[in-house]
Amino acid sequence: MPRNTLIPPPRRVRRASAIAATSALVGGALMIAPAAFAAPDAEAPNDLGLTGADVMTHLTELSTISESYADEGYRTWDGPGYEAAAQYAEKVLADTGAFTVTRHAFDVPYSDFGVASLVVDGTVYTGSHFDNSEGTDGDVTAPLALPVSEDGGFLGCAASDFAEVPAGSIVLVQRGICSFEEKIGFASDAGAAAVFIYNNERPPEENTAPEDQLTNVTSGPRNEEDSPAATLPQASGDAIQALITAAPEDAPVEGTATIEKQFLVGKSFNIIADSTAGDPDDTVVIGAHLDGVAEGPGVNDNASGSAAVLALAEKIAASEVPNDKRIRLALWGAEEIGLLGSTAYVNDLVANDPAEWDRISSYLNYDMIGSENFTVGVYDADRSTFPADGVNIPEGSEAIEKIYTDYFDAIEQPWIDTEYSGRSDYQAFIDNGVPAGGLFSGGDDIKTEEQVEMFGGTSGVFMDRNYHTVDDTLANINRDSVDIFAPAIGHAAAALAWTAAVEPSPEPTVEPTVEPTTEPTTEPTAQPTTEPTAQPSPSPSTTTGPGPRDNLAKTGSNAEGSPLPAIGVGMLVIGALIAAGTVVARRRPQE
């Protein structure tokens, strides 16, 4: 998952009582009530039998692959580790016998980073790059300046903050309040020779890279008219700010900025697996990103979500009752550098095969499900906790959220809202009107005391202290978290892709957690597969038919309850499905 540089407020806890409603076979005919449907035994909602152990089997293999390519960028989108992980995933999917597996290739605009530094009075202050900001043409030496807001701060969140900044200055700006894109834009309009944005607060020591350096941060889409820009740690920014403030007006302190960057274009691919069963005119897409960052093996982010998708594929194939809707499993590439794989896939369908795009009725996203200091987060589509400013949430997304929350309530598992921010691969889907939902165990969000009471763990630190670091390893996966999320993932697939009942697990496959653990129960056992089982360049389906988002609930719908399909004695239960809209959203730049 790309780094979010804002820490959202604590999540509000929501709990709902399990819904109890039934429908019965009367005189051999199915009687469907217009109310929410629940399993006869509300303690055993269907989850396709998906367990944490199933997920860990594949997570162990992906971990082994990632670690074996430690010297080559682990599982970065353009590295051999990503190819090896993809070949393993393709083999798993093909071996189920229930999916047609292809690769979807796409172009990857990317940046090659060199030095990012600011030298002042002989001291070298090392910085880091924004993903899409401009670089300098060699070294740039110029006076240093600060924007000044009405309250005396240096945030640079208004054009007026730069009124006293001389054109051609190297501008030092404090992080906070507005987006990096806005700060760089205002400084560029003022004629800055370069812009350095320094961190505004230092998190607890165990939460941060050395000197609280900001890494993997975005400043919005590339704008070649912008001034070169980079980041600095808080301590560096504070020291330089003090020098600028102390310098006399007629003798400003000077600095030398070096921001080395090249913009290039590469190639990567997504893995797309379509179920052979199910109505091709009504497709449920379930995805996770397979790529990772170069800083570490990326076992939680996001081999964990990818492993869940692979384990889910095996359970779908093993189901005695075939899925009624087509299920499309997707493992996305280049997510870590801007959600590029999922965005390219959606844009390709929308532009080149709109009929096939219209067959997609919903999207489910799984990005990090094993955080060591986890919470059980459900994307807050109904905005009951987070306003989701700037994100238009398609109609039908609230009903997807309710599928998860009703499930957790049925098994008495605490859960919280997590921000519906467009921070992961569901963004392109909601941008184009497809209802979406998903789960998240937490990343660079600070865990609260209230959340510790619910899930265990440690307050005041990140939910995943290993996020985007070399310590994102199998040993730091929290098995309690995986055990909770896995059956919920199976349940959501069953709720959306089956319109007839399927046999539930006899007992819930997850218990409420008290204290998280950090020791995995499996060890790496296999080496990467060397032969791919699928070839690149799939062609989109040309089948025509009505767009399923016009009538997602083909056997009935209910806005109040979530589906809990099951078979009981003399009783058949139908899952409530969702209606969708075509609201278009805009990706919000990170701040």
Side-chain angles (χ1 to χ4, degrees):
M1 172 175 287
R3 179 172 298 279
N4 180 14
T5 60
L6 284 181
I7 297 174
R11 276 75 166 130
R12 182 176 66 81
V13 181
R14 294 190 303 163
R15 294 292 305 277
S17 59
I19 298 171
T22 61
S23 64
L25 286 170
V26 180
L30 179 64
M31 176 182 288
I32 302 178
F37 296 105
D41 177 4
E43 291 298 310
N46 175 60
D47 55 22
L48 297 180
L50 184 61
T51 69
D54 299 323
V55 174
M56 290 300 300
T57 296
H58 298 297
L59 188 56
T60 299
E61 300 294 341
L62 291 173
S63 170
T64 299
I65 292 169
S66 298
E67 294 283 6
S68 68
Y69 290 95
D71 294 335
E72 298 172 90
Y74 295 99
R75 231 171 42 253
T76 53
W77 64 272
D78 59 344
Y82 181 75
E83 174 64 34
Q87 290 180 12
Y88 170 76
E90 289 165 334
K91 185 176 188 306
V92 170
L93 292 165
D95 285 352
T96 66
F99 291 89
T100 301
V101 186
T102 54
R103 288 188 180 189
H104 170 261
F106 58 92
D107 290 336
V108 180
Y110 70 100
S111 302
D112 183 28
F113 300 143
V115 172
S117 68
L118 180 59
V119 180
V120 183
D121 285 349
T123 300
V124 179
Y125 298 94
T126 300
S128 184
H129 291 271
F130 292 106
D131 54 358
N132 290 323
S133 63
E134 296 301 301
T136 58
D137 184 9
D139 298 338
V140 175
T141 299
L144 299 176
L146 293 162
V148 180
S149 55
E150 291 183 359
D151 63 1
F154 312 113
L155 294 170
C157 288
S160 58
D161 292 2
F162 296 84
E164 301 300 322
V165 171
S169 300
I170 297 172
V171 183
L172 185 71
V173 185
Q174 189 179 47
R175 173 189 173 192
I177 305 300
C178 63
S179 69
F180 295 139
E181 182 179 7
E182 291 173 293
K183 294 172 187 286
I184 294 170
F186 288 130
S188 300
D189 292 342
V195 185
F196 284 87
I197 299 177
Y198 66 100
N199 214 348
N200 59 339
E201 60 180 18
R202 183 165 182 161
E205 193 67 31
E206 62 267 36
N207 286 338
T208 182
E211 296 188 6
D212 67 296
Q213 186 70 270
L214 295 171
T215 59
N216 277 5
V217 289
T218 182
S219 55
R222 185 185 181 190
N223 183 347
E224 295 183 54
E225 300 302 315
D226 277 350
S227 303
T231 75
L232 287 172
Q234 182 188 10
S236 299
D238 287 343
I240 299 170
Q241 179 262 313
L243 292 173
I244 298 171
T245 303
E249 290 187 13
D250 59 349
V253 63
E254 287 192 342
T256 299
T258 305
I259 303 173
E260 297 176 343
K261 178 180 293 188
Q262 285 184 299
F263 288 93
L264 305 168
V265 177
K267 290 280 188 182
S268 192
F269 60 90
N270 304 310
I271 298 170
I272 306 297
D274 277 350
S275 65
T276 54
D279 180 3
D281 285 340
D282 194 346
T283 301
V284 176
V285 183
I286 304 171
H289 74 87
L290 183 60
D291 67 308
V293 296
E295 289 87 350
V299 178
N300 188 35
D301 183 20
N302 183 40
S304 65
S306 298
V309 169
L310 297 178
L312 177 63
E314 293 172 328
K315 294 303 181 182
I316 291 168
S319 174
E320 293 184 5
V321 179
N323 43 293
D324 297 287
K325 300 181 181 182
R326 178 171 60 182
I327 299 173
R328 178 170 296 161
L329 302 179
L331 296 176
W332 308 116
E335 187 267 0
E336 291 289 2
I337 56 172
L339 315 178
L340 299 188
S342 55
T343 301
Y345 180 76
V346 169
N347 289 347
D348 189 15
L349 281 185
V350 170
N352 300 316
D353 197 346
E356 178 62 20
W357 171 251
D358 285 341
R359 296 183 183 102
I360 296 175
S361 55
S362 55
Y363 176 68
L364 305 179
N365 192 70
Y366 301 113
D367 190 350
M368 300 174 64
I369 64 166
S371 302
E372 48 89 25
N373 195 31
F374 77 96
T375 57
V376 179
V378 181
Y379 291 164
D380 185 23
D382 65 6
R383 312 181 197 227
S384 57
T385 300
F386 298 96
D389 293 336
V391 179
N392 293 320
I393 301 174
E395 182 182 353
S397 301
E398 293 182 19
I400 295 177
E401 178 187 5
K402 193 164 171 50
I403 289 172
Y404 296 111
T405 59
D406 282 358
Y407 168 79
F408 287 132
D409 289 340
I411 63 169
E412 298 184 353
Q413 168 61 52
W415 57 272
I416 61 173
D417 284 321
T418 191
E419 190 173 16
Y420 202 104
S421 62
R423 189 181 165 188
S424 192
D425 288 302
Y426 62 95
Q427 179 64 51
F429 288 87
I430 64 173
D431 275 352
N432 290 278
V434 170
L439 302 173
F440 177 46
S441 60
D444 56 352
D445 303 322
I446 301 296
K447 195 167 192 178
T448 67
E449 291 283 0
E450 181 184 27
Q451 291 162 356
V452 169
E453 291 179 7
M454 298 171 66
F455 308 108
T458 306
S459 65
V461 299
F462 288 171
M463 295 177 190
D464 189 346
R465 288 164 284 191
N466 310 302
Y467 174 57
H468 282 189
T469 75
V470 71
D471 294 319
D472 186 2
T473 63
L474 189 67
N476 287 321
I477 287 290
N478 193 311
R479 276 299 307 273
D480 286 348
S481 181
V482 176
D483 288 342
I484 291 168
F485 279 91
I489 290 169
H491 171 70
L496 286 176
W498 273 261
T499 56
V502 269
E503 188 68 33
S505 301
E507 298 293 336
T509 54
V510 60
E511 295 294 333
T513 183
V514 177
E515 290 293 335
T517 61
T518 56
E519 293 300 323
T521 60
T522 56
E523 295 296 330
T525 59
Q527 296 301 315
T529 306
T530 57
E531 295 296 327
T533 59
Q535 298 300 320
S537 303
S539 59
S541 168
T542 57
T543 307
T544 59
R549 292 198 296 280
D550 296 332
N551 183 13
L552 190 81
K554 293 185 181 294
T555 61
S557 66
N558 172 21
E560 298 299 323
S562 70
L564 297 175
I567 293 177
V569 178
M571 190 172 292
L572 186 63
V573 179
I574 304 298
L577 301 176
I578 61 176
T582 56
V583 182
V584 177
R586 175 180 64 83
R587 187 181 178 204
R588 184 173 53 174
Q590 297 186 49
E591 299 179 347

